[in-house]
Amino acid sequence: MWSSKYLTRIDLRAVFAIIMLMVISCLIISSYSSTLTSDYIEEPFLTPMVKTQIQWFAIGWLVFLFFAGFDYNKLREWAWVLYVASIISLVGLFFTESIQNVHRWYRLPFISHSFQPSEYAKLALVIALSWFLERKASSSRSLPTALGALLIFIIPFVCILKQPDLGTALVLYPMTLVIFYFGDMASWVVRGMMSLALVAVFVVFLFFSGVISHEGARPFFLNFIKEYQYERLNPHTHHQKAAATAVAIGGIGGVGFKQSEYTRGGSLPVPYTDSAFPAFGEEFGFIGLVLVLIIFYGLIYCCFQVSAVAKDPFGRLLAAGISVFLAVHITVNIGMMCGILPITGVPLVLVSYGGSSVLSTMMALGILQSIYSRRFMF
């Protein structure tokens, strides 16, 4: 089930990219978590939040190594258990006290941390759909298979949407669409989901390009969605303006590590979580942001390469779903910080502060390496 010999076959390019992103994460958190004190200039590099993030990274590496050595084929046996457990954890949130007026986290007793089940529900969904479509390969285009696969997707999608957590729910959509495509699902399902996605993207484009007036269209859209949901389509929020300003201040080379005045002064919301990308841009400039994009490109390239070399349908579907899961997180976070997508609260993988995101990402990357290291087995 688990063997250390497979750890010698993992893709070291991916490992290097992960380490680089973790270093960047610590730089951002060290710089901007120090604004919590009045005399932040003399703050050490290892602020309390940096120490916490390093602890999560250490646990993340243990998770990564475990799943890299673990035989991913065994996940078939656990697919439904993991899926049902994730649904129970999502439903259970609505019977707990809300945190920040939303039902997204469980408070863990005796320790000052919280648990976000939606981060792990993404992986559970990928595993369940991969197992289901491999099992139904001979009837993948039939109506019962299509309805079953759609039901597997819709249940966690609705649960997460009702938290409410639009960003995480939307990540499930392209992830599922790609698995359906590679799983040879009925064309009407793939085309239907693709059409809905294109319509949504086109509407967002019209708002953020100024073709549709946000205020002018308000009466029409409020007939279908709530006020707070409609405000996500506002292209002129303070958050997006602040992100653009931070990047502009950084210029080509940046203002220097811990030399930021705009973001460290509190003008950019949550600089070490959702706004990590523009916060890094202010201190390290356009050159720093290009470096981040190159690292992310390298990591995602390695992830999709796993899907190409997987030796079986289950591994191929699993790798494709996980790769899209990571790619969408990166694209959406950077897109919303660049003012071309709505602010939805999607973290920047391995960079944003937070334990649940780190652990679920390292688990996903470990599973990918398990598939990659076993690519020559027959």
Side-chain angles (χ1 to χ4, degrees), residues 94 154-170 172 228-229:
F94 299 101
I154 289 172
I155 294 175
F157 180 83
V158 172
C159 288
I160 294 173
L161 197 62
K162 294 292 289 183
Q163 291 179 359
D165 189 355
L166 177 64
T168 301
L170 291 181
L172 301 183
Y228 77 90
Q229 294 172 326

Side-chain angles (χ1 to χ4, degrees), residues 340-363:
I340 59 175
L341 290 175
I343 301 292
T344 56
V346 174
L348 190 58
V349 293
L350 296 178
V351 175
S352 294
Y353 177 81
S356 294
S357 176
V358 169
L359 294 185
S360 63
T361 300
M362 292 299 283
M363 188 183 301

Side-chain angles (χ1 to χ4, degrees), residues 16-316:
F16 176 75
I18 293 170
I19 293 173
M20 291 295 294
L21 291 172
M22 288 180 172
V23 170
I24 291 171
S25 175
C26 289
L27 289 173
I28 295 171
I29 296 170
S30 176
S31 180
Y32 296 111
S33 63
S34 59
T35 59
L36 298 177
T37 65
S38 58
D39 188 18
Y40 57 78
I41 296 178
E42 297 180 0
E43 278 283 329
F45 179 83
L46 293 175
T47 65
M49 292 186 70
V50 174
K51 293 179 182 178
T52 300
Q53 187 76 342
I54 290 176
Q55 291 174 358
W56 285 120
F57 284 154
I59 298 172
W61 278 114
L62 294 177
V63 170
F64 174 86
L65 293 174
F66 172 79
F67 279 97
F70 182 82
D71 186 356
Y72 71 93
N73 290 292
K74 295 295 182 180
L75 292 175
R76 289 186 179 92
E77 303 171 12
W78 290 89
W80 276 112
V81 175
L82 295 173
Y83 178 78
V84 172
S86 70
I87 298 302
I88 292 174
S89 66
L90 290 173
V91 173
L93 286 170
F94 299 101
F95 298 94
T96 62
E97 184 181 352
S98 64
I99 300 177
Q100 299 176 11
N101 298 319
V102 295
H103 295 275
R104 298 181 189 175
W105 302 276
Y106 286 106
R107 286 190 176 92
L108 299 180
F110 310 116
I111 58 175
S112 58
H113 294 293
S114 57
F115 167 72
Q116 187 174 2
S118 60
E119 290 293 333
Y120 305 94
K122 302 170 194 172
L123 274 178
L125 176 62
V126 172
I127 294 170
L129 283 175
S130 300
W131 172 84
F132 180 79
L133 290 179
E134 182 194 47
R135 187 167 174 267
K136 299 290 185 178
S138 60
S139 58
S140 61
R141 299 191 178 189
S142 67
L143 180 60
T145 299
L147 294 178
L150 285 171
L151 183 63
I152 294 173
F153 157 67
I154 289 172
I155 294 175
F157 180 83
V158 172
C159 288
I160 294 173
L161 197 62
K162 294 292 289 183
Q163 291 179 359
D165 189 355
L166 177 64
T168 301
L170 291 181
V171 169
L172 301 183
Y173 195 91
M175 188 175 72
T176 301
L177 177 58
V178 168
I179 294 177
F180 283 0
Y181 176 79
F182 280 97
D184 198 28
M185 182 66 75
S187 59
W188 63 269
V189 177
V190 176
R191 290 175 181 174
M193 291 185 67
M194 178 63 75
S195 299
L196 287 175
L198 291 175
V199 169
V201 169
F202 183 65
V203 170
V204 171
F205 169 77
L206 293 178
F207 273 100
F208 282 77
S209 62
V211 175
I212 294 180
S213 168
H214 181 262
E215 289 303 317
R218 181 185 297 274
F220 173 77
F221 279 91
L222 289 184
N223 292 322
F224 309 98
I225 59 178
K226 297 179 180 179
E227 177 75 26
Y228 77 90
Q229 294 172 326
Y230 182 69
E231 281 305 310
R232 295 181 184 276
L233 294 174
N234 186 353
H236 304 297
T237 63
H238 166 72
H239 199 156
Q240 288 166 323
K241 290 179 180 178
T245 302
V247 173
I249 291 174
I252 300 297
V255 298
F257 180 57
K258 288 200 174 185
Q259 300 302 310
S260 163
E261 294 182 0
Y262 181 78
T263 299
R264 285 167 63 88
S267 297
L268 177 64
V270 288
Y272 42 81
T273 54
D274 296 348
S275 305
F277 188 73
F280 187 76
E282 182 177 358
E283 293 196 342
F284 295 92
F286 177 75
I287 296 174
L289 294 181
V290 170
L291 175 62
V292 172
L293 292 176
I294 291 174
I295 296 172
F296 273 129
Y297 172 80
L299 179 62
I300 296 303
Y301 176 83
C302 292
C303 291
F304 277 107
Q305 193 173 48
V306 175
S307 182
V309 301
K311 68 182 182 67
D312 63 297
F314 178 69
R316 184 166 61 254

